Amino acid sequence: MLRAAFGGSSYIGVFSRATDDCLLIRRDAEDDVRESFAEELEVPAVPTTVGGSATVGALATGNANGILVSSRANEREIERIEDATDLPVGELPGRVNAAGNVVCCNDHGAYVHPDLSRKAVQAVEDTLDVPVERGDLAGVRTVGTAAVATNRGVLCHPKSTDEELDFLEDLLDVPADLGTINYGGPLVGSGLVANENGFVVGQDTSGPELGRIENALGYID
């Protein structure tokens, strides 16, 4: 577990995204911050932008099968990520294309923004090689901000219903639970970066919140 911030912002999930294979992180992150993230998550760091933006966590996501990025990404960025991760990189087409914000996924499934087109859903399926379902979570359509999934568990918006938790457990094949970040923030994806090995959370996250995260994502034996 690591508490951290980017330039004073506890919303670290906006600027970084982890899988079990890599950490995508904003290029201008300080060396010690980048190194501490990579050490906690036990994966190599890939400093990058997506579409020229530092909001890498909002614009990219992935699993063991591939990395999905916004269609705003340019060819140089895509090549950099492919070379660094040795994974295929797919683009999310359409108007709703902030991949990190609108896709919640692990190696078993993906839950996506309800307004994604058939073409966009196909892009998710093709890149991540998992079943895909559309929907919202606790009334939030940007499901990648409302939940964080790993291959151990999924942490969800605190107003998620039992029916929604059950649905996500079936789709993602992991236990689901409720939680918050940064002293009550419900959009857990904006302040939490996690994989099977560990997690980094915004520096304003409280002790009880850390306990919920550790339990939900399966770090406690």
Side-chain angles (χ1 to χ4, degrees):
M1 181 279 297
L2 173 69
R3 286 190 181 103
F6 286 119
S9 172
S10 292
Y11 293 98
I12 59 167
V14 176
F15 305 106
S16 56
R17 175 73 54 176
T19 73
D20 290 342
D21 300 297
C22 68
L23 165 68
L24 303 180
I25 189 168
R26 60 185 295 173
R27 291 189 71 181
D28 60 355
E30 296 179 356
D31 290 347
D32 60 338
V33 172
R34 183 174 63 250
E35 290 168 5
S36 63
F37 272 52
E39 181 178 355
E40 170 61 27
L41 299 167
E42 299 180 19
V43 291
V46 182
T48 189
T49 53
V50 176
S53 173
T55 57
V56 176
L59 299 174
T61 191
N63 63 9
N65 302 314
I67 303 294
L68 185 70
V69 298
S70 165
S71 57
R72 304 176 204 169
N74 61 50
E75 187 174 336
R76 181 178 297 178
E77 292 166 338
I78 290 172
E79 288 178 354
R80 179 187 300 125
I81 295 169
E82 285 180 335
D83 289 345
T85 64
D86 200 26
L87 290 170
V89 176
E91 297 178 59
L92 186 65
R95 178 180 56 85
V96 182
N97 61 28
N101 284 350
V102 303
V103 178
C104 174
C105 64
N106 63 7
D107 290 351
H108 308 293
Y111 193 48
V112 304
H113 192 294
D115 294 340
L116 286 196
S117 67
R118 184 178 301 176
K119 181 179 180 181
V121 169
Q122 190 63 53
V124 177
E125 289 180 347
D126 290 346
T127 302
L128 303 181
D129 193 23
V130 291
V132 179
E133 296 287 347
R134 296 184 185 97
D136 60 22
L137 187 61
V140 178
R141 300 164 83 82
T142 52
V143 292
T145 69
V148 173
T150 72
N151 292 326
R152 290 174 177 261
V154 53
L155 182 77
C156 301
H157 189 293
K159 292 187 178 179
S160 302
T161 65
D162 288 343
E163 291 77 12
E164 289 172 331
L165 296 181
D166 289 342
F167 177 83
L168 284 179
E169 288 186 345
D170 288 341
L171 176 64
L172 302 177
D173 196 28
V174 290
D177 206 349
L178 309 176
T180 56
I181 47 91
N182 290 331
Y183 209 75
L187 298 178
V188 293
S190 66
L192 173 63
V193 181
N195 63 13
E196 283 194 1
N197 304 316
F199 69 95
V200 184
V201 70
Q203 64 181 4
D204 296 329
T205 301
S206 69
E209 288 175 321
L210 291 174
R212 293 301 297 265
I213 295 167
E214 290 175 341
N215 185 64
L217 297 185
Y219 302 117
I220 301 175
D221 294 330

